[in-house]
Amino acid sequence: MPIVDVSPEVSLAYESFGDPADPPVLLVMGFGAQLLAWHEDFCRALADRGRFVIRYDNRDCGLSTKFDEHPVDMGEFIAAVGSGDLDGALAMIPYRLTDMADDGLGLLTALGIERAHVVGASMGGMIAQTMALAHPERVLTLTSMMSSTGESEYGRPSPQAQAVLFTPRPADRAGYVEAAAKDLVWASRRHGDAALLRELAAESYDRAYYPAGTGRQLGAMVLSGSRAQALRELRVPTLVIHGLDDTLIDPSGGKRTAELVPGAELLLLPDMGHDRPRALWPELIDAIVAHTG
């Protein structure tokens, strides 16, 4: 798998699908998830519709650069945020969403791509929004999927989803894979499939098991703050996609994003949770192709 330097500090692992002469679509993945979470079949189906598709591992995930020199004690971090000690919390986390956005844009630069359509899911949607806000001249269109605005009152997880998110999975392979079924709490109620969740978990574990990175990624999300005011000024054509079954980032996060961005299109899907069920791929791909046309 290709790995390229996108800055003096960061190298990213990536894969591409389709013809480089086609319009480029950069897929940005979410919290703790490797590029594998953009299923290869999904990427190929999008490429078959005339798009040059790029998926990559964010920093601190998969085969990309790890920030081992900055260990984060999640208990201490959460306590600092909860007590209002933002200076202490800031000191624990070595980067922000702006840095992760720069990584994605750096990957485009390394690939010789000046401008691209950017599609982000969950934390990836937050990164994609940040790319469009910081460098609108490089983002042809923005698609923010199952994401939010950084405002604490929107997109809140259910207590059950939050409990699963913050419960560390077992470190052994069998336990890690089995625990993946708990992600059904935020999956599509109609299409959620525990076997598929375990399959992705097994593939991810074997490729690059690295739980240490999630604390730093979470800190980057929490400490990057609200994008609400900036989103009001965004002039990049924007599509917002959100599943109505989503309990990890409540649909209010997507609705709020579309409300803030001038001219944004909102697509709410009844049978999608915080996932992309294969049964909905045709609708998702049709929407992305139409938006990036």
Side-chain angles (χ1 to χ4, degrees):
M1 176 169 295
I3 298 177
V4 298
D5 296 333
V6 300
S7 71
E9 300 82 24
V10 176
S11 300
L12 299 183
Y14 76 95
E15 283 188 312
S16 61
F17 305 82
D19 186 343
D22 286 337
V25 175
L26 183 70
L27 301 179
V28 191
M29 191 26 69
F31 172 63
Q34 300 178 42
L35 57 74
L36 301 172
W38 291 110
H39 198 288
E40 181 175 343
D41 292 348
F42 180 91
C43 296
R44 294 193 185 283
L46 185 54
D48 288 344
R49 296 286 297 275
R51 300 294 181 269
F52 179 56
V53 179
I54 305 151
R55 64 177 184 173
Y56 70 98
D57 290 324
N58 285 308
R59 61 170 66 193
D60 259 333
C61 189
L63 304 179
S64 293
T65 295
K66 314 295 194 303
F67 283 71
D68 293 313
E69 67 275 20
H70 296 283
V72 175
D73 183 302
M74 282 308 299
E76 290 182 10
F77 175 74
I78 292 171
V81 172
S83 67
D85 179 16
L86 289 185
D87 288 340
L90 286 165
M92 297 182 200
I93 308 299
Y95 54 81
R96 305 288 179 266
L97 290 181
T98 50
D99 300 298
M100 301 182 81
D102 286 345
D103 291 345
L105 294 170
L107 175 58
L108 293 176
T109 299
L111 297 178
I113 299 171
E114 182 178 350
R115 304 177 73 201
H117 302 280
V118 180
V119 179
S122 193
M123 181 186 76
M126 302 172 195
I127 295 169
Q129 291 173 25
T130 305
M131 288 184 196
L133 292 170
H135 293 282
E137 74 283 358
R138 300 202 62 187
V139 180
L140 291 166
T141 65
L142 166 67
T143 301
S144 181
M145 188 184 301
M146 62 182 77
S147 194
S148 193
T149 62
E151 299 168 278
S152 60
E153 62 267 42
Y154 297 99
R156 297 180 66 87
S158 71
Q160 297 83 359
Q162 183 168 291
V164 170
L165 183 69
F166 288 147
T167 300
R169 289 187 185 179
D172 66 289
R173 186 183 189 278
Y176 182 89
V177 171
E178 183 58 33
K182 294 181 180 179
D183 292 358
L184 283 173
V185 69
W186 55 64
S188 164
R189 288 195 289 267
R190 180 178 181 185
H191 301 298
D193 188 326
L196 291 177
L197 291 170
R198 294 189 188 100
E199 181 181 310
L200 175 60
E203 191 177 359
S204 299
Y205 189 98
D206 293 341
R207 180 175 180 263
Y209 172 68
Y210 187 68
T214 57
R216 291 183 288 272
Q217 289 190 351
L218 177 65
M221 280 193 289
V222 170
L223 298 175
S224 290
S226 169
R227 293 173 295 284
Q229 188 56 47
L231 288 170
R232 289 187 176 95
E233 306 300 322
L234 186 62
R235 295 298 182 266
V236 173
T238 298
L239 169 65
V240 178
I241 301 174
H242 217 110
L244 293 176
D245 285 351
D246 195 341
T247 61
L248 186 58
I249 296 182
D250 183 83
S252 62
K255 293 174 184 176
R256 176 63 169 171
T257 306
E259 173 189 317
L260 291 175
V261 179
E265 178 186 353
L266 177 63
L267 174 61
L268 297 173
L269 296 177
D271 289 322
M272 189 170 95
H274 203 79
D275 56 1
R276 287 166 302 282
R278 188 181 285 263
L280 299 183
W281 286 3
E283 192 166 356
L284 290 171
I285 289 171
D286 281 350
I288 292 171
V289 168
H291 184 58
T292 59

